[in-house]
Amino acid sequence: MVDEALSAGAVARRLGVAVTTLRTWHQRYGLGPSEHIPGHHRRYTPSDLARLEIMRRLTAEGVSPAEAARWARQAPDPMPNGTGVVAPTRIHPAGRDGGGSIPVGRAGPAARGLARAAMRLDAAAISETIAHALAASGVVATWEGLLRPVLAGIGERHAATAGLIEVEHLVSRCVSEALAAASRAKVPTGPARILLSCADEEQHTLPLEALAAALAEAGVSYRMLGARVPVAALVEAVNRTGPAAVVLWSHTRATADPTQLSALLAAPRRPLLVLAAGPGWRADTLPAGVVRPVDLAEAVSLSAAVRDSLDQSRRD
Ligand code: B12
């Protein structure tokens, strides 16, 4: 094993990280070198390297270092037979059989049940759990206490294993259907003063669908443009419908081009309120006058408030 073991410098070069980063990962998260020859510096074995590769990949994807380290430590030994060959499938924890579970943090039993149903690809149980929660607790509580933890858990597992895409798709579909049914059950009257849209090329629509259902529940009419709206089409919709507020969702940095927000602010029928919603947006790049809600509840209350103020000003 000594021949294959690497120095910290060699590992740092291979992974493209600083030696100090390796030291931090060792000291804080226990991901250190395990080869120890008396009288020599400790060295990294191929198994250590495989774990560090998981750590590097996950942290680069935005997973917190503590969480990434948890996955890295759980990874099965990639070289149990000492061949020195790192089989790619073995460096993903539970990546071979799609087994394991979806982490839901401190979320309650309903979220754990939903996560289990999701792993079984049991669409009927998934839909029933969501419908039951929506009826019993309403949209905001269902989103925060049930859907968000499970969706985030699926994302976490996917980042760690590159698996669970089938689970992600099935759950997304069930969530969409349940939120659409909730929206249809309470169609608000009055003109639609809130425009909901995803940023250009943005395919993550579920948070906007949750907002639509929550607005319906609160009696606020909206128009939903859905996924991947090019900026010219968004501005066209604004100019034709004159909404009081536009909520533009971006889930990832790749779709968070602030010029989309500037275009809304420059539109001839500029909305009273432009909301940049979602984790894609960076606060320091937002044009002045754009508001960033912190969560679903705030997006609902801001939308309802701006609708009320427009209705009031039209009455005066
Ligand atoms: C479901 C899902 C999909 C589905 C979406 C289906 C749909 N109709 O929406 C599909 C399969 C289409 C998909 C596609 C992709 N996805 Co995806 N996806 C997810 C997943 C699992 C859940 C998304 C979601 O709804 N999150 C909702 C909650 C959980 O997100 P949240 O950030 O915690 O939200 C909070 C804040 O934003 C805040 N908030 C602030 N303001 C507001 C306002 C409102 C109204 C609300 C509701 C909330 C809110 O409160 C929220 C909680 O309520 C996430 C994992 C994750 N953690 O999000 C990955 C994830 C977002 N996807 C990811 C990726 C990489 C992709 C793809 C690029 C994959 C690919 N290679 O094709 C594509 C992207 C395509 C595109 N251009 O958009 C990565 C993004 C990594 C990154 N940071 O860049 C993630 C994080 C998974 C991962 N860990 O790798 N995805």
Side-chain angles (χ1 to χ4, degrees), residues 195-262:
L195 184 65
L196 310 182
S197 174
C198 281
D200 198 3
E201 290 307 331
E202 179 59 67
Q203 292 177 35
H204 296 97
T205 55
L206 296 179
L208 268 194
E209 291 168 44
L211 177 56
L215 288 174
E217 197 175 65
V220 180
S221 297
Y222 61 86
R223 236 180 221 97
M224 163 71 100
L225 298 183
R228 306 178 65 194
V229 182
V231 67
L234 178 61
V235 171
E236 178 67 19
V238 167
N239 288 335
R240 283 171 55 192
T241 64
V246 176
V247 184
L248 191 60
W249 184 268
S250 163
H251 209 96
T252 64
R253 289 280 137 87
T255 64
D257 178 355
T259 60
Q260 299 170 94
L261 300 163
S262 312

Side-chain angles (χ1 to χ4, degrees), residues 131-151:
H132 182 264
L134 285 169
S137 316
V139 177
V140 174
T142 299
W143 176 258
E144 294 294 347
L146 181 69
L147 301 177
R148 181 193 181 183
V150 173
L151 288 168

